[in-house]
């Protein structure tokens, strides 16, 4: 079985081909990613209009390259999965239009994929036989979610950010202290130069919920730097410590309450070495398995979208091609675990 994934929710255009090789195993035949980061660098953040245009430029050449690299013929596909939200509406529409056109022309069934479900599914690519339930911490530029995964494709959101996502915090603080894009990795690099910062920020406490809040921390770090008494490395290190402290505290509380067999860490911020180390030692203490995908599967990519489409289709029933299934829209807001299209939502 061959699955095509398409991802255009933010600033990465990506197409991927997966092959189901039995059981829960999906082999990545190709995972092509065209980053737009240079186009946004001048503006210090992602500009939605530019993002849409860049997706439009990149998507057809990427399809061509995918066919060249894998020898794929569209008619050989069994399933197409495309991100339909959450994300930037204009950016999402490019991938959705491409997915619908391919589906219609090749009579291959199409599934709308939730981007967060995609990030979570990157753990399935990393470890096909992981134990459920899995608690998954999804940390990216747009989201900070704690999700209980009872089985493949079955998600229950326990907590979310009430304001900024943690990656957004990393990016905005990086910008405020004069670091270029990509903010997160550059802030981590700056933080690494300081062993123990004297500066200290207090993480938000949203107990008894499992929610997060990073906007107060972002403001404290930005203002702390503006006062001029601390170096950018000090501020970076203090911000990173406080952000990880909050993520670890809420995750630790959820581990205690829900007793998962596995902890998954995914989304772009999962590439952060200090966060990976903290989560790994927490899992060792709780004697549970820790799964974190390799960095290229942590940041936005289409392999995770193809994986989410496959497991969702397998859980419900494998779809046959139907024009009706092409009626979904781009959804800028779409909490993971909620129904995929209007018909389902209204039922
Ligand atoms: O998942 P992703 O590629 O896109 C979204 O869905 O948002 O995540 C991108 C986010 C950005 O905010 C980026 O700064 C952050 O992940 N990020 C990091 C690191 N690498 C990427 N944040 C902290 N440390 C890193 N090493
Ligand atoms: Zn993402």
């Amino acid at each position: 079985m061959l699955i095509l994934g398409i991802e255009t929710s933010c600033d990465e255009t990506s197409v991927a081909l997966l092959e189901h090789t039995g059981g829960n195993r999906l082999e990545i035949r190709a995972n092509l990613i065209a980053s737009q980061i240079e186009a946004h660098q001048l503006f210090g953040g992602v500009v939605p209009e530019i993002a849409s245009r860049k997706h439009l430029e990149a998507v057809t050449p990427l399809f061509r390259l995918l066919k060249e690299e894998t020898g794929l013929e569209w008619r050989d596909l069994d399933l197409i999965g495309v991100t339909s939200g959450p994300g930037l509406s204009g950016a999402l529409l490019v991938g959705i239009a491409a997915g619908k056109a391919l589906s219609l022309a090749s009579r291959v069934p199409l599934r709308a994929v939730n981007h967060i479900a995609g990030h979570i599914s990157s753990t399935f690519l990393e470890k096909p036989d992981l134990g459920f339930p899995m608690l998954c911490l999804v940390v990216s530029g747009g989201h900070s979610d704690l999700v209980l995964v009872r089985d493949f494709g079955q998600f229950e959101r326990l907590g979310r950010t009430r304001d900024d996502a943690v990656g957004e915090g990393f990016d905005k603080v990086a910008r405020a202290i004069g670091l270029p894009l990509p903010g997160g990795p550059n802030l981590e690099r700056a933080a690494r130069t300081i062993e123990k910062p004297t500066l200290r920020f207090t993480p938000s406490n949203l107990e008894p919920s499992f929610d997060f809040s990073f906007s107060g921390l972002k403001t404290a770090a930005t203002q702390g730097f503006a006062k001029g008494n601390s170096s950018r490395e000090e501020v970076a290190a203090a911000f990173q410590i406080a952000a990880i402290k909050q993520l670890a505290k809420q995750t630790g509380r959820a581990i205690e309450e829900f007793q998962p067999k596995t902890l998954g860490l995914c989304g772009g911020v999962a590439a952060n070495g200090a966060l990976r180390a903290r989560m790994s030692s927490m899992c060792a203490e709780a004697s549970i398995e820790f799964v974190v995908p390799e960095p290229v599967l942590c940041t936005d990519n289409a392999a995770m979208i193809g994986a989410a489409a496959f497991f969702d289709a397998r859980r419900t029933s494998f779809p046959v091609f139907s024009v009706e299934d092409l009626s979904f829209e781009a959804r800028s807001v779409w909490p993971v675990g909620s129904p995929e299209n209007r018909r389902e939502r209204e039922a």
Side-chain angles (χ1 to χ4, degrees):
M1 168 163 244
L2 290 174
I3 307 115
L4 175 77
I6 307 171
E7 157 63 36
T8 64
S9 69
C10 190
D11 60 346
E12 247 103 27
T13 319
S14 180
V15 301
L17 182 66
L18 304 180
E19 183 173 0
H20 178 225
T21 53
N24 301 322
R25 284 186 311 281
L26 290 171
E27 187 186 305
I28 302 175
R29 298 262 302 266
N31 187 21
L32 308 179
I33 304 168
S35 173
Q36 311 177 347
I37 194 125
E38 276 175 20
H40 301 285
Q41 220 135 23
L42 185 64
F43 306 97
V46 176
V47 183
E49 171 68 19
I50 294 176
S52 313
R53 284 167 188 269
K54 289 281 163 194
H55 286 307
L56 213 45
E57 281 170 24
V59 75
T60 309
L62 277 184
F63 278 142
R64 204 174 296 133
L65 195 61
L66 184 82
K67 289 184 80 178
E68 273 170 28
E69 278 195 7
T70 62
L72 172 73
E73 294 293 339
W74 297 130
R75 62 172 180 274
D76 295 337
L77 286 171
D78 298 286
L79 180 68
I80 303 172
V82 61
T83 308
S84 82
L88 302 169
S89 298
L92 289 164
L93 278 172
V94 177
I96 292 174
K100 287 183 179 178
L102 264 184
S103 168
L104 195 57
S106 319
R107 317 299 276 183
V108 177
L110 177 71
R111 279 199 99 86
V113 174
N114 180 296
H115 182 78
I116 304 303
H119 274 302
I120 295 170
S121 303
S122 66
T123 61
F124 308 150
L125 287 171
E126 182 70 26
K127 188 132 205 322
D129 292 315
L130 55 78
F132 293 108
M134 168 171 71
L135 179 70
C136 204
L137 178 63
V138 189
V139 276
S140 73
H143 308 275
S144 307
D145 288 329
L146 255 182
V147 181
L148 191 63
V149 185
R150 296 195 187 277
D151 205 340
F152 292 106
Q154 284 184 32
F155 310 113
E156 183 188 328
R157 190 169 74 170
L158 305 175
R160 63 184 167 92
T161 179
R162 294 193 186 171
D163 41 58
D164 293 348
V166 63
E168 189 182 352
F170 268 89
D171 293 338
K172 288 188 174 157
V173 171
R175 187 177 176 180
I177 63 179
L179 297 171
L181 282 182
N186 284 332
L187 191 145
E188 183 185 13
R189 215 162 290 131
R192 220 180 284 141
T193 62
I194 304 282
E195 209 168 303
K196 257 204 174 136
T198 47
L199 196 62
R200 213 158 272 171
F201 299 124
T202 314
S204 300
N205 181 352
L206 294 176
E207 289 179 38
S209 80
F210 291 107
D211 287 350
F212 303 102
S213 164
F214 295 100
S215 125
L217 176 59
K218 174 195 70 185
T219 307
T222 307
Q223 290 177 351
F225 182 66
K227 278 188 198 145
N229 303 325
S230 312
S231 69
R232 69 164 57 119
E233 288 77 13
E234 275 271 323
V235 174
F239 170 82
Q240 181 170 282
I241 287 171
I244 292 176
K245 211 178 223 173
Q246 189 186 149
L247 292 169
K249 180 130 192 249
Q250 296 295 63
T251 306
R253 289 182 54 240
I255 289 175
E256 255 174 46
E257 184 159 337
F258 295 95
Q259 301 282 313
K261 289 209 172 77
T262 307
L263 175 70
L265 177 64
C266 51
V269 184
N272 184 285
L275 177 63
R276 290 163 92 102
R278 181 79 190 84
M279 291 293 154
S280 169
S281 66
M282 220 158 75
C283 288
E285 273 166 36
S287 301
I288 61 174
E289 189 178 13
F290 179 50
V291 178
V292 59
E294 57 174 311
V296 70
L297 292 178
C298 284
T299 47
D300 288 350
N301 68 89
M304 69 183 196
I305 302 303
F310 171 81
F311 288 113
D312 190 39
R314 193 175 72 168
R315 186 178 60 90
T316 45
S317 63
F318 261 103
V320 286
F321 173 79
S322 149
V323 175
E324 287 234 310
D325 288 339
L326 306 185
S327 64
F328 64 86
E329 66 258 60
R331 295 178 63 182
S332 55
V333 179
W334 181 7
V336 67
S338 56
E340 94 186 16
N341 60 37
R342 193 178 290 142
R343 265 182 297 149
E344 268 184 78
R345 291 201 295 279
E346 285 167 359

